[in-house]
Amino acid sequence: MAVKWSNELRFYVGGYDLSTATTKASITRSAPALDKTVFGDAAESAIADVEKDLVEWSGLFEDGTQGIDRQILDGSFGTVGAIVSLMIGTATGSRAYSGVIFTQSVKVGARIGELVQVVSNYKPDTSLDPTRHFAPLRTVTAASQSPTTGLDDGAASTGTHRVYYHVTRLLGGGTLQISLQDSASAGSGWSNVGGLMTFTGSGSTADSFTGTLRQYVRLQWDFVGASGSTDFFASYKR
C-alpha cells in the first residue's frame, strides 16, 4: 500500500524541516501475513503481521555556496537513529506518521542549473507510528513561552505511549526543555508524563513510557539559562 499527500504535507528528518523543498513524499507499507501453504511447502514459514515501511522523499534545492553533496555527507538529510516524520495538515490534532530511522539512502538525482534534486529513502526500525501532532511552533522566544493548547483524545488510555520531537532551529545559547503533559480535565491538573527532553541545538529524539495517559494532552516547554528563539515540532502516539 502506498500513501501519498500533496500541498498539506510537511516533512521532517532529524533537526531539519524539508517541507519547502519537498516535491514528493510517500509511505509504502506492506504487512505480510502468509500461511505456509501459500508457498506449496509445508516446511516453509513466514512471519505474520510484521509491517515493513519505506519512506520515499525527493526535493529541489539551490546549490548555493555549500554544495548539496557536502551537506549529504555531513548528514543534513537525516542519520540512523534520527526521527523521520510526515505531517498531514498544520492544525493541532492533525495526523502525522513518525519513526526512528534504521537505514537510509540519500543521493543527488539530477542538476538543472543551480537547482539540485535530492532523492532519499528511509526505513524505520519498526513500522511508522500513526500519531497526532501539535501545530509546529516557529520563532518562539523565552518571553513568549507557554504551554500549547490541550488536545482532547476522548478518553484515557493505558499501554506504551511514544512521543517524537524535532527541533529545527535553536538560537541564543539557551537550553530548550520540552515535555508532554496530561490531565483528566482541560483546565487544570496538568503533570509531566514521560521524560523531560533537553536540546542545546537542532536535532530529534523519541521518548516512550508505559502507563496511563489521561484524556487531555499538551506540550510544556521553556528555555533555561538564556533567552533564545526556536522552531520545533512534536507528535505522540497512544
Side-chain angles (χ1 to χ4, degrees), residues 4-7 9 11 18-26 56-61 112 115-120:
K4 300 183 179 181
W5 301 275
S6 55
N7 60 340
L9 174 75
F11 192 83
L18 302 181
S19 306
T20 57
T22 297
T23 56
K24 184 185 77 172
S26 66
E56 300 175 279
W57 176 89
S58 64
L60 287 175
F61 296 85
I112 306 172
L115 292 178
V116 178
Q117 180 191 38
V118 177
V119 180
S120 60

mmCIF file with all atom_site columns, all heavy atoms in Angstrom, residues 4-7 9 11 18-26 56-61 112 115-120:
data_model
loop_
_atom_site.group_PDB
_atom_site.id
_atom_site.type_symbol
_atom_site.label_atom_id
_atom_site.label_alt_id
_atom_site.label_comp_id
_atom_site.label_asym_id
_atom_site.label_entity_id
_atom_site.label_seq_id
_atom_site.pdbx_PDB_ins_code
_atom_site.Cartn_x
_atom_site.Cartn_y
_atom_site.Cartn_z
_atom_site.occupancy
_atom_site.B_iso_or_equiv
_atom_site.pdbx_formal_charge
_atom_site.auth_seq_id
_atom_site.auth_comp_id
_atom_site.auth_asym_id
_atom_site.auth_atom_id
_atom_site.pdbx_PDB_model_num
ATOM 1   N N   . LYS A 1 4   ? 0.193  8.747  -0.340  1.00 0.00 ? 4   LYS A N   1
ATOM 2   C CA  . LYS A 1 4   ? 0.820  9.967  -0.842  1.00 0.00 ? 4   LYS A CA  1
ATOM 3   C C   . LYS A 1 4   ? -0.023 11.182 -0.480  1.00 0.00 ? 4   LYS A C   1
ATOM 4   O O   . LYS A 1 4   ? -1.235 11.117 -0.410  1.00 0.00 ? 4   LYS A O   1
ATOM 5   C CB  . LYS A 1 4   ? 1.014  9.887  -2.361  1.00 0.00 ? 4   LYS A CB  1
ATOM 6   C CG  . LYS A 1 4   ? 1.897  8.734  -2.809  1.00 0.00 ? 4   LYS A CG  1
ATOM 7   C CD  . LYS A 1 4   ? 2.110  8.740  -4.305  1.00 0.00 ? 4   LYS A CD  1
ATOM 8   C CE  . LYS A 1 4   ? 3.009  7.582  -4.721  1.00 0.00 ? 4   LYS A CE  1
ATOM 9   N NZ  . LYS A 1 4   ? 3.257  7.566  -6.180  1.00 0.00 ? 4   LYS A NZ  1
ATOM 10  N N   . TRP A 1 5   ? 0.659  12.321 -0.274  1.00 0.00 ? 5   TRP A N   1
ATOM 11  C CA  . TRP A 1 5   ? -0.032 13.569 0.010   1.00 0.00 ? 5   TRP A CA  1
ATOM 12  C C   . TRP A 1 5   ? 0.580  14.679 -0.827  1.00 0.00 ? 5   TRP A C   1
ATOM 13  O O   . TRP A 1 5   ? 1.655  14.521 -1.386  1.00 0.00 ? 5   TRP A O   1
ATOM 14  C CB  . TRP A 1 5   ? 0.085  13.933 1.501   1.00 0.00 ? 5   TRP A CB  1
ATOM 15  C CG  . TRP A 1 5   ? -0.489 12.888 2.376   1.00 0.00 ? 5   TRP A CG  1
ATOM 16  C CD1 . TRP A 1 5   ? -1.790 12.720 2.759   1.00 0.00 ? 5   TRP A CD1 1
ATOM 17  C CD2 . TRP A 1 5   ? 0.225  11.818 3.000   1.00 0.00 ? 5   TRP A CD2 1
ATOM 18  N NE1 . TRP A 1 5   ? -1.930 11.627 3.564   1.00 0.00 ? 5   TRP A NE1 1
ATOM 19  C CE2 . TRP A 1 5   ? -0.712 11.052 3.729   1.00 0.00 ? 5   TRP A CE2 1
ATOM 20  C CE3 . TRP A 1 5   ? 1.552  11.417 2.999   1.00 0.00 ? 5   TRP A CE3 1
ATOM 21  C CZ2 . TRP A 1 5   ? -0.360 9.930  4.461   1.00 0.00 ? 5   TRP A CZ2 1
ATOM 22  C CZ3 . TRP A 1 5   ? 1.917  10.295 3.724   1.00 0.00 ? 5   TRP A CZ3 1
ATOM 23  C CH2 . TRP A 1 5   ? 0.964  9.573  4.437   1.00 0.00 ? 5   TRP A CH2 1
ATOM 24  N N   . SER A 1 6   ? -0.084 15.825 -0.838  1.00 0.00 ? 6   SER A N   1
ATOM 25  C CA  . SER A 1 6   ? 0.441  16.906 -1.672  1.00 0.00 ? 6   SER A CA  1
ATOM 26  C C   . SER A 1 6   ? 0.658  18.168 -0.859  1.00 0.00 ? 6   SER A C   1
ATOM 27  O O   . SER A 1 6   ? 1.567  18.231 -0.037  1.00 0.00 ? 6   SER A O   1
ATOM 28  C CB  . SER A 1 6   ? -0.514 17.162 -2.840  1.00 0.00 ? 6   SER A CB  1
ATOM 29  O OG  . SER A 1 6   ? -1.826 17.429 -2.362  1.00 0.00 ? 6   SER A OG  1
ATOM 30  N N   . ASN A 1 7   ? -0.188 19.181 -1.054  1.00 0.00 ? 7   ASN A N   1
ATOM 31  C CA  . ASN A 1 7   ? 0.156  20.514 -0.558  1.00 0.00 ? 7   ASN A CA  1
ATOM 32  C C   . ASN A 1 7   ? 0.037  20.676 0.950   1.00 0.00 ? 7   ASN A C   1
ATOM 33  O O   . ASN A 1 7   ? 0.511  21.667 1.490   1.00 0.00 ? 7   ASN A O   1
ATOM 34  C CB  . ASN A 1 7   ? -0.705 21.576 -1.269  1.00 0.00 ? 7   ASN A CB  1
ATOM 35  C CG  . ASN A 1 7   ? -2.194 21.365 -1.034  1.00 0.00 ? 7   ASN A CG  1
ATOM 36  O OD1 . ASN A 1 7   ? -2.617 20.278 -0.681  1.00 0.00 ? 7   ASN A OD1 1
ATOM 37  N ND2 . ASN A 1 7   ? -2.977 22.408 -1.249  1.00 0.00 ? 7   ASN A ND2 1
ATOM 38  N N   . LEU A 1 9   ? 1.315  18.533 3.143   1.00 0.00 ? 9   LEU A N   1
ATOM 39  C CA  . LEU A 1 9   ? 2.359  17.726 3.755   1.00 0.00 ? 9   LEU A CA  1
ATOM 40  C C   . LEU A 1 9   ? 3.499  18.586 4.293   1.00 0.00 ? 9   LEU A C   1
ATOM 41  O O   . LEU A 1 9   ? 3.920  19.542 3.656   1.00 0.00 ? 9   LEU A O   1
ATOM 42  C CB  . LEU A 1 9   ? 2.919  16.745 2.722   1.00 0.00 ? 9   LEU A CB  1
ATOM 43  C CG  . LEU A 1 9   ? 4.128  15.923 3.170   1.00 0.00 ? 9   LEU A CG  1
ATOM 44  C CD1 . LEU A 1 9   ? 3.668  14.820 4.121   1.00 0.00 ? 9   LEU A CD1 1
ATOM 45  C CD2 . LEU A 1 9   ? 4.849  15.335 1.981   1.00 0.00 ? 9   LEU A CD2 1
ATOM 46  N N   . PHE A 1 11  ? 7.444  17.746 6.068   1.00 0.00 ? 11  PHE A N   1
ATOM 47  C CA  . PHE A 1 11  ? 8.373  16.622 6.157   1.00 0.00 ? 11  PHE A CA  1
ATOM 48  C C   . PHE A 1 11  ? 9.565  17.007 7.023   1.00 0.00 ? 11  PHE A C   1
ATOM 49  O O   . PHE A 1 11  ? 10.238 18.009 6.745   1.00 0.00 ? 11  PHE A O   1
ATOM 50  C CB  . PHE A 1 11  ? 8.843  16.224 4.748   1.00 0.00 ? 11  PHE A CB  1
ATOM 51  C CG  . PHE A 1 11  ? 9.573  14.925 4.703   1.00 0.00 ? 11  PHE A CG  1
ATOM 52  C CD1 . PHE A 1 11  ? 8.887  13.726 4.649   1.00 0.00 ? 11  PHE A CD1 1
ATOM 53  C CD2 . PHE A 1 11  ? 10.958 14.888 4.705   1.00 0.00 ? 11  PHE A CD2 1
ATOM 54  C CE1 . PHE A 1 11  ? 9.558  12.516 4.608   1.00 0.00 ? 11  PHE A CE1 1
ATOM 55  C CE2 . PHE A 1 11  ? 11.644 13.691 4.663   1.00 0.00 ? 11  PHE A CE2 1
ATOM 56  C CZ  . PHE A 1 11  ? 10.943 12.494 4.612   1.00 0.00 ? 11  PHE A CZ  1
ATOM 57  N N   . LEU A 1 18  ? 12.277 19.884 5.927   1.00 0.00 ? 18  LEU A N   1
ATOM 58  C CA  . LEU A 1 18  ? 12.495 19.868 4.485   1.00 0.00 ? 18  LEU A CA  1
ATOM 59  C C   . LEU A 1 18  ? 11.218 20.162 3.708   1.00 0.00 ? 18  LEU A C   1
ATOM 60  O O   . LEU A 1 18  ? 11.156 19.935 2.499   1.00 0.00 ? 18  LEU A O   1
ATOM 61  C CB  . LEU A 1 18  ? 13.050 18.502 4.062   1.00 0.00 ? 18  LEU A CB  1
ATOM 62  C CG  . LEU A 1 18  ? 14.358 18.076 4.719   1.00 0.00 ? 18  LEU A CG  1
ATOM 63  C CD1 . LEU A 1 18  ? 14.803 16.713 4.190   1.00 0.00 ? 18  LEU A CD1 1
ATOM 64  C CD2 . LEU A 1 18  ? 15.449 19.113 4.513   1.00 0.00 ? 18  LEU A CD2 1
ATOM 65  N N   . SER A 1 19  ? 10.213 20.695 4.384   1.00 0.00 ? 19  SER A N   1
ATOM 66  C CA  . SER A 1 19  ? 8.894  20.853 3.773   1.00 0.00 ? 19  SER A CA  1
ATOM 67  C C   . SER A 1 19  ? 8.915  21.732 2.533   1.00 0.00 ? 19  SER A C   1
ATOM 68  O O   . SER A 1 19  ? 8.312  21.394 1.506   1.00 0.00 ? 19  SER A O   1
ATOM 69  C CB  . SER A 1 19  ? 7.909  21.429 4.799   1.00 0.00 ? 19  SER A CB  1
ATOM 70  O OG  . SER A 1 19  ? 7.891  20.642 5.974   1.00 0.00 ? 19  SER A OG  1
ATOM 71  N N   . THR A 1 20  ? 9.583  22.883 2.600   1.00 0.00 ? 20  THR A N   1
ATOM 72  C CA  . THR A 1 20  ? 9.529  23.827 1.487   1.00 0.00 ? 20  THR A CA  1
ATOM 73  C C   . THR A 1 20  ? 10.274 23.325 0.263   1.00 0.00 ? 20  THR A C   1
ATOM 74  O O   . THR A 1 20  ? 10.043 23.792 -0.848  1.00 0.00 ? 20  THR A O   1
ATOM 75  C CB  . THR A 1 20  ? 10.096 25.191 1.908   1.00 0.00 ? 20  THR A CB  1
ATOM 76  O OG1 . THR A 1 20  ? 11.445 25.017 2.378   1.00 0.00 ? 20  THR A OG1 1
ATOM 77  C CG2 . THR A 1 20  ? 9.246  25.805 3.013   1.00 0.00 ? 20  THR A CG2 1
ATOM 78  N N   . ALA A 1 21  ? 11.178 22.362 0.443   1.00 0.00 ? 21  ALA A N   1
ATOM 79  C CA  . ALA A 1 21  ? 11.927 21.819 -0.680  1.00 0.00 ? 21  ALA A CA  1
ATOM 80  C C   . ALA A 1 21  ? 11.296 20.557 -1.252  1.00 0.00 ? 21  ALA A C   1
ATOM 81  O O   . ALA A 1 21  ? 11.708 20.057 -2.288  1.00 0.00 ? 21  ALA A O   1
ATOM 82  C CB  . ALA A 1 21  ? 13.363 21.503 -0.259  1.00 0.00 ? 21  ALA A CB  1
ATOM 83  N N   . THR A 1 22  ? 10.267 20.054 -0.576  1.00 0.00 ? 22  THR A N   1
ATOM 84  C CA  . THR A 1 22  ? 9.699  18.757 -0.948  1.00 0.00 ? 22  THR A CA  1
ATOM 85  C C   . THR A 1 22  ? 8.937  18.824 -2.260  1.00 0.00 ? 22  THR A C   1
ATOM 86  O O   . THR A 1 22  ? 8.090  19.695 -2.461  1.00 0.00 ? 22  THR A O   1
ATOM 87  C CB  . THR A 1 22  ? 8.763  18.250 0.162   1.00 0.00 ? 22  THR A CB  1
ATOM 88  O OG1 . THR A 1 22  ? 9.517  18.050 1.361   1.00 0.00 ? 22  THR A OG1 1
ATOM 89  C CG2 . THR A 1 22  ? 8.090  16.945 -0.228  1.00 0.00 ? 22  THR A CG2 1
ATOM 90  N N   . THR A 1 23  ? 9.240  17.875 -3.150  1.00 0.00 ? 23  THR A N   1
ATOM 91  C CA  . THR A 1 23  ? 8.456  17.698 -4.378  1.00 0.00 ? 23  THR A CA  1
ATOM 92  C C   . THR A 1 23  ? 7.642  16.417 -4.340  1.00 0.00 ? 23  THR A C   1
ATOM 93  O O   . THR A 1 23  ? 6.632  16.295 -5.027  1.00 0.00 ? 23  THR A O   1
ATOM 94  C CB  . THR A 1 23  ? 9.369  17.675 -5.615  1.00 0.00 ? 23  THR A CB  1
ATOM 95  O OG1 . THR A 1 23  ? 10.364 16.649 -5.459  1.00 0.00 ? 23  THR A OG1 1
ATOM 96  C CG2 . THR A 1 23  ? 10.062 19.017 -5.797  1.00 0.00 ? 23  THR A CG2 1
ATOM 97  N N   . LYS A 1 24  ? 8.070  15.435 -3.552  1.00 0.00 ? 24  LYS A N   1
ATOM 98  C CA  . LYS A 1 24  ? 7.311  14.195 -3.415  1.00 0.00 ? 24  LYS A CA  1
ATOM 99  C C   . LYS A 1 24  ? 7.667  13.515 -2.110  1.00 0.00 ? 24  LYS A C   1
ATOM 100 O O   . LYS A 1 24  ? 8.823  13.499 -1.704  1.00 0.00 ? 24  LYS A O   1
ATOM 101 C CB  . LYS A 1 24  ? 7.618  13.233 -4.570  1.00 0.00 ? 24  LYS A CB  1
ATOM 102 C CG  . LYS A 1 24  ? 6.789  11.946 -4.536  1.00 0.00 ? 24  LYS A CG  1
ATOM 103 C CD  . LYS A 1 24  ? 7.194  10.965 -5.621  1.00 0.00 ? 24  LYS A CD  1
ATOM 104 C CE  . LYS A 1 24  ? 8.481  10.248 -5.256  1.00 0.00 ? 24  LYS A CE  1
ATOM 105 N NZ  . LYS A 1 24  ? 8.807  9.153  -6.199  1.00 0.00 ? 24  LYS A NZ  1
ATOM 106 N N   . ALA A 1 25  ? 6.660  12.961 -1.444  1.00 0.00 ? 25  ALA A N   1
ATOM 107 C CA  . ALA A 1 25  ? 6.890  12.154 -0.253  1.00 0.00 ? 25  ALA A CA  1
ATOM 108 C C   . ALA A 1 25  ? 5.815  11.087 -0.187  1.00 0.00 ? 25  ALA A C   1
ATOM 109 O O   . ALA A 1 25  ? 4.644  11.363 -0.466  1.00 0.00 ? 25  ALA A O   1
ATOM 110 C CB  . ALA A 1 25  ? 6.866  13.018 1.006   1.00 0.00 ? 25  ALA A CB  1
ATOM 111 N N   . SER A 1 26  ? 6.199  9.885  0.155   1.00 0.00 ? 26  SER A N   1
ATOM 112 C CA  . SER A 1 26  ? 5.223  8.802  0.226   1.00 0.00 ? 26  SER A CA  1
ATOM 113 C C   . SER A 1 26  ? 5.677  7.754  1.221   1.00 0.00 ? 26  SER A C   1
ATOM 114 O O   . SER A 1 26  ? 6.865  7.654  1.562   1.00 0.00 ? 26  SER A O   1
ATOM 115 C CB  . SER A 1 26  ? 5.013  8.152  -1.148  1.00 0.00 ? 26  SER A CB  1
ATOM 116 O OG  . SER A 1 26  ? 6.198  7.499  -1.584  1.00 0.00 ? 26  SER A OG  1
ATOM 117 N N   . GLU A 1 56  ? 9.742  7.357  1.136   1.00 0.00 ? 56  GLU A N   1
ATOM 118 C CA  . GLU A 1 56  ? 10.442 7.842  -0.049  1.00 0.00 ? 56  GLU A CA  1
ATOM 119 C C   . GLU A 1 56  ? 10.217 9.343  -0.165  1.00 0.00 ? 56  GLU A C   1
ATOM 120 O O   . GLU A 1 56  ? 9.085  9.817  -0.037  1.00 0.00 ? 56  GLU A O   1
ATOM 121 C CB  . GLU A 1 56  ? 9.942  7.126  -1.301  1.00 0.00 ? 56  GLU A CB  1
ATOM 122 C CG  . GLU A 1 56  ? 10.151 5.614  -1.258  1.00 0.00 ? 56  GLU A CG  1
ATOM 123 C CD  . GLU A 1 56  ? 9.534  4.918  -2.446  1.00 0.00 ? 56  GLU A CD  1
ATOM 124 O OE1 . GLU A 1 56  ? 8.307  4.691  -2.414  1.00 0.00 ? 56  GLU A OE1 1
ATOM 125 O OE2 . GLU A 1 56  ? 10.265 4.618  -3.398  1.00 0.00 ? 56  GLU A OE2 1
ATOM 126 N N   . TRP A 1 57  ? 11.304 10.074 -0.426  1.00 0.00 ? 57  TRP A N   1
ATOM 127 C CA  . TRP A 1 57  ? 11.222 11.539 -0.469  1.00 0.00 ? 57  TRP A CA  1
ATOM 128 C C   . TRP A 1 57  ? 12.138 12.073 -1.556  1.00 0.00 ? 57  TRP A C   1
ATOM 129 O O   . TRP A 1 57  ? 13.210 11.525 -1.827  1.00 0.00 ? 57  TRP A O   1
ATOM 130 C CB  . TRP A 1 57  ? 11.639 12.120 0.883   1.00 0.00 ? 57  TRP A CB  1
ATOM 131 C CG  . TRP A 1 57  ? 11.668 13.623 0.909   1.00 0.00 ? 57  TRP A CG  1
ATOM 132 C CD1 . TRP A 1 57  ? 10.633 14.466 1.221   1.00 0.00 ? 57  TRP A CD1 1
ATOM 133 C CD2 . TRP A 1 57  ? 12.785 14.461 0.611   1.00 0.00 ? 57  TRP A CD2 1
ATOM 134 N NE1 . TRP A 1 57  ? 11.050 15.766 1.134   1.00 0.00 ? 57  TRP A NE1 1
ATOM 135 C CE2 . TRP A 1 57  ? 12.360 15.797 0.748   1.00 0.00 ? 57  TRP A CE2 1
ATOM 136 C CE3 . TRP A 1 57  ? 14.101 14.198 0.234   1.00 0.00 ? 57  TRP A CE3 1
ATOM 137 C CZ2 . TRP A 1 57  ? 13.209 16.870 0.529   1.00 0.00 ? 57  TRP A CZ2 1
ATOM 138 C CZ3 . TRP A 1 57  ? 14.943 15.271 0.008   1.00 0.00 ? 57  TRP A CZ3 1
ATOM 139 C CH2 . TRP A 1 57  ? 14.487 16.590 0.164   1.00 0.00 ? 57  TRP A CH2 1
ATOM 140 N N   . SER A 1 58  ? 11.712 13.155 -2.207  1.00 0.00 ? 58  SER A N   1
ATOM 141 C CA  . SER A 1 58  ? 12.607 13.887 -3.107  1.00 0.00 ? 58  SER A CA  1
ATOM 142 C C   . SER A 1 58  ? 12.303 15.366 -2.998  1.00 0.00 ? 58  SER A C   1
ATOM 143 O O   . SER A 1 58  ? 11.185 15.782 -2.651  1.00 0.00 ? 58  SER A O   1
ATOM 144 C CB  . SER A 1 58  ? 12.450 13.417 -4.557  1.00 0.00 ? 58  SER A CB  1
ATOM 145 O OG  . SER A 1 58  ? 11.151 13.700 -5.052  1.00 0.00 ? 58  SER A OG  1
ATOM 146 N N   . GLY A 1 59  ? 13.312 16.200 -3.268  1.00 0.00 ? 59  GLY A N   1
ATOM 147 C CA  . GLY A 1 59  ? 13.144 17.640 -3.164  1.00 0.00 ? 59  GLY A CA  1
ATOM 148 C C   . GLY A 1 59  ? 14.145 18.378 -4.026  1.00 0.00 ? 59  GLY A C   1
ATOM 149 O O   . GLY A 1 59  ? 15.124 17.803 -4.515  1.00 0.00 ? 59  GLY A O   1
ATOM 150 N N   . LEU A 1 60  ? 13.905 19.668 -4.211  1.00 0.00 ? 60  LEU A N   1
ATOM 151 C CA  . LEU A 1 60  ? 14.777 20.523 -5.013  1.00 0.00 ? 60  LEU A CA  1
ATOM 152 C C   . LEU A 1 60  ? 15.408 21.592 -4.130  1.00 0.00 ? 60  LEU A C   1
ATOM 153 O O   . LEU A 1 60  ? 14.725 22.213 -3.305  1.00 0.00 ? 60  LEU A O   1
ATOM 154 C CB  . LEU A 1 60  ? 13.988 21.183 -6.145  1.00 0.00 ? 60  LEU A CB  1
ATOM 155 C CG  . LEU A 1 60  ? 13.565 20.290 -7.314  1.00 0.00 ? 60  LEU A CG  1
ATOM 156 C CD1 . LEU A 1 60  ? 12.688 21.081 -8.271  1.00 0.00 ? 60  LEU A CD1 1
ATOM 157 C CD2 . LEU A 1 60  ? 14.787 19.735 -8.042  1.00 0.00 ? 60  LEU A CD2 1
ATOM 158 N N   . PHE A 1 61  ? 16.701 21.824 -4.339  1.00 0.00 ? 61  PHE A N   1
ATOM 159 C CA  . PHE A 1 61  ? 17.447 22.811 -3.571  1.00 0.00 ? 61  PHE A CA  1
ATOM 160 C C   . PHE A 1 61  ? 18.265 23.680 -4.508  1.00 0.00 ? 61  PHE A C   1
ATOM 161 O O   . PHE A 1 61  ? 18.698 23.232 -5.578  1.00 0.00 ? 61  PHE A O   1
ATOM 162 C CB  . PHE A 1 61  ? 18.402 22.125 -2.574  1.00 0.00 ? 61  PHE A CB  1
ATOM 163 C CG  . PHE A 1 61  ? 17.724 21.318 -1.517  1.00 0.00 ? 61  PHE A CG  1
ATOM 164 C CD1 . PHE A 1 61  ? 17.357 20.008 -1.766  1.00 0.00 ? 61  PHE A CD1 1
ATOM 165 C CD2 . PHE A 1 61  ? 17.439 21.867 -0.283  1.00 0.00 ? 61  PHE A CD2 1
ATOM 166 C CE1 . PHE A 1 61  ? 16.734 19.245 -0.801  1.00 0.00 ? 61  PHE A CE1 1
ATOM 167 C CE2 . PHE A 1 61  ? 16.811 21.120 0.693   1.00 0.00 ? 61  PHE A CE2 1
ATOM 168 C CZ  . PHE A 1 61  ? 16.453 19.809 0.436   1.00 0.00 ? 61  PHE A CZ  1
ATOM 169 N N   . ILE A 1 112 ? 19.821 20.885 -12.501 1.00 0.00 ? 112 ILE A N   1
ATOM 170 C CA  . ILE A 1 112 ? 19.288 21.750 -13.551 1.00 0.00 ? 112 ILE A CA  1
ATOM 171 C C   . ILE A 1 112 ? 19.710 23.171 -13.203 1.00 0.00 ? 112 ILE A C   1
ATOM 172 O O   . ILE A 1 112 ? 19.082 23.837 -12.374 1.00 0.00 ? 112 ILE A O   1
ATOM 173 C CB  . ILE A 1 112 ? 17.750 21.659 -13.652 1.00 0.00 ? 112 ILE A CB  1
ATOM 174 C CG1 . ILE A 1 112 ? 17.314 20.204 -13.826 1.00 0.00 ? 112 ILE A CG1 1
ATOM 175 C CG2 . ILE A 1 112 ? 17.233 22.513 -14.802 1.00 0.00 ? 112 ILE A CG2 1
ATOM 176 C CD1 . ILE A 1 112 ? 15.818 20.011 -13.738 1.00 0.00 ? 112 ILE A CD1 1
ATOM 177 N N   . LEU A 1 115 ? 19.659 24.389 -9.546  1.00 0.00 ? 115 LEU A N   1
ATOM 178 C CA  . LEU A 1 115 ? 18.777 23.509 -8.796  1.00 0.00 ? 115 LEU A CA  1
ATOM 179 C C   . LEU A 1 115 ? 19.347 22.095 -8.754  1.00 0.00 ? 115 LEU A C   1
ATOM 180 O O   . LEU A 1 115 ? 19.854 21.576 -9.750  1.00 0.00 ? 115 LEU A O   1
ATOM 181 C CB  . LEU A 1 115 ? 17.385 23.477 -9.413  1.00 0.00 ? 115 LEU A CB  1
ATOM 182 C CG  . LEU A 1 115 ? 16.567 24.759 -9.320  1.00 0.00 ? 115 LEU A CG  1
ATOM 183 C CD1 . LEU A 1 115 ? 15.224 24.578 -10.013 1.00 0.00 ? 115 LEU A CD1 1
ATOM 184 C CD2 . LEU A 1 115 ? 16.354 25.162 -7.861  1.00 0.00 ? 115 LEU A CD2 1
ATOM 185 N N   . VAL A 1 116 ? 19.239 21.489 -7.586  1.00 0.00 ? 116 VAL A N   1
ATOM 186 C CA  . VAL A 1 116 ? 19.725 20.130 -7.378  1.00 0.00 ? 116 VAL A CA  1
ATOM 187 C C   . VAL A 1 116 ? 18.577 19.294 -6.823  1.00 0.00 ? 116 VAL A C   1
ATOM 188 O O   . VAL A 1 116 ? 17.910 19.692 -5.861  1.00 0.00 ? 116 VAL A O   1
ATOM 189 C CB  . VAL A 1 116 ? 20.910 20.098 -6.398  1.00 0.00 ? 116 VAL A CB  1
ATOM 190 C CG1 . VAL A 1 116 ? 21.369 18.663 -6.155  1.00 0.00 ? 116 VAL A CG1 1
ATOM 191 C CG2 . VAL A 1 116 ? 22.054 20.935 -6.933  1.00 0.00 ? 116 VAL A CG2 1
ATOM 192 N N   . GLN A 1 117 ? 18.347 18.135 -7.439  1.00 0.00 ? 117 GLN A N   1
ATOM 193 C CA  . GLN A 1 117 ? 17.352 17.209 -6.920  1.00 0.00 ? 117 GLN A CA  1
ATOM 194 C C   . GLN A 1 117 ? 18.034 16.232 -5.964  1.00 0.00 ? 117 GLN A C   1
ATOM 195 O O   . GLN A 1 117 ? 19.078 15.669 -6.280  1.00 0.00 ? 117 GLN A O   1
ATOM 196 C CB  . GLN A 1 117 ? 16.684 16.426 -8.047  1.00 0.00 ? 117 GLN A CB  1
ATOM 197 C CG  . GLN A 1 117 ? 15.629 15.442 -7.539  1.00 0.00 ? 117 GLN A CG  1
ATOM 198 C CD  . GLN A 1 117 ? 15.149 14.480 -8.610  1.00 0.00 ? 117 GLN A CD  1
ATOM 199 O OE1 . GLN A 1 117 ? 15.947 14.028 -9.429  1.00 0.00 ? 117 GLN A OE1 1
ATOM 200 N NE2 . GLN A 1 117 ? 13.869 14.174 -8.598  1.00 0.00 ? 117 GLN A NE2 1
ATOM 201 N N   . VAL A 1 118 ? 17.440 16.059 -4.792  1.00 0.00 ? 118 VAL A N   1
ATOM 202 C CA  . VAL A 1 118 ? 17.921 15.086 -3.821  1.00 0.00 ? 118 VAL A CA  1
ATOM 203 C C   . VAL A 1 118 ? 16.839 14.034 -3.627  1.00 0.00 ? 118 VAL A C   1
ATOM 204 O O   . VAL A 1 118 ? 15.658 14.369 -3.478  1.00 0.00 ? 118 VAL A O   1
ATOM 205 C CB  . VAL A 1 118 ? 18.265 15.753 -2.470  1.00 0.00 ? 118 VAL A CB  1
ATOM 206 C CG1 . VAL A 1 118 ? 18.690 14.702 -1.449  1.00 0.00 ? 118 VAL A CG1 1
ATOM 207 C CG2 . VAL A 1 118 ? 19.373 16.771 -2.659  1.00 0.00 ? 118 VAL A CG2 1
ATOM 208 N N   . VAL A 1 119 ? 17.235 12.779 -3.662  1.00 0.00 ? 119 VAL A N   1
ATOM 209 C CA  . VAL A 1 119 ? 16.309 11.658 -3.518  1.00 0.00 ? 119 VAL A CA  1
ATOM 210 C C   . VAL A 1 119 ? 16.752 10.831 -2.316  1.00 0.00 ? 119 VAL A C   1
ATOM 211 O O   . VAL A 1 119 ? 17.943 10.522 -2.173  1.00 0.00 ? 119 VAL A O   1
ATOM 212 C CB  . VAL A 1 119 ? 16.296 10.780 -4.785  1.00 0.00 ? 119 VAL A CB  1
ATOM 213 C CG1 . VAL A 1 119 ? 15.324 9.613  -4.619  1.00 0.00 ? 119 VAL A CG1 1
ATOM 214 C CG2 . VAL A 1 119 ? 15.936 11.603 -6.005  1.00 0.00 ? 119 VAL A CG2 1
ATOM 215 N N   . SER A 1 120 ? 15.810 10.480 -1.450  1.00 0.00 ? 120 SER A N   1
ATOM 216 C CA  . SER A 1 120 ? 16.185 9.711  -0.268  1.00 0.00 ? 120 SER A CA  1
ATOM 217 C C   . SER A 1 120 ? 15.112 8.682  0.073   1.00 0.00 ? 120 SER A C   1
ATOM 218 O O   . SER A 1 120 ? 13.928 8.867  -0.208  1.00 0.00 ? 120 SER A O   1
ATOM 219 C CB  . SER A 1 120 ? 16.410 10.632 0.938   1.00 0.00 ? 120 SER A CB  1
ATOM 220 O OG  . SER A 1 120 ? 15.241 11.363 1.241   1.00 0.00 ? 120 SER A OG  1
#
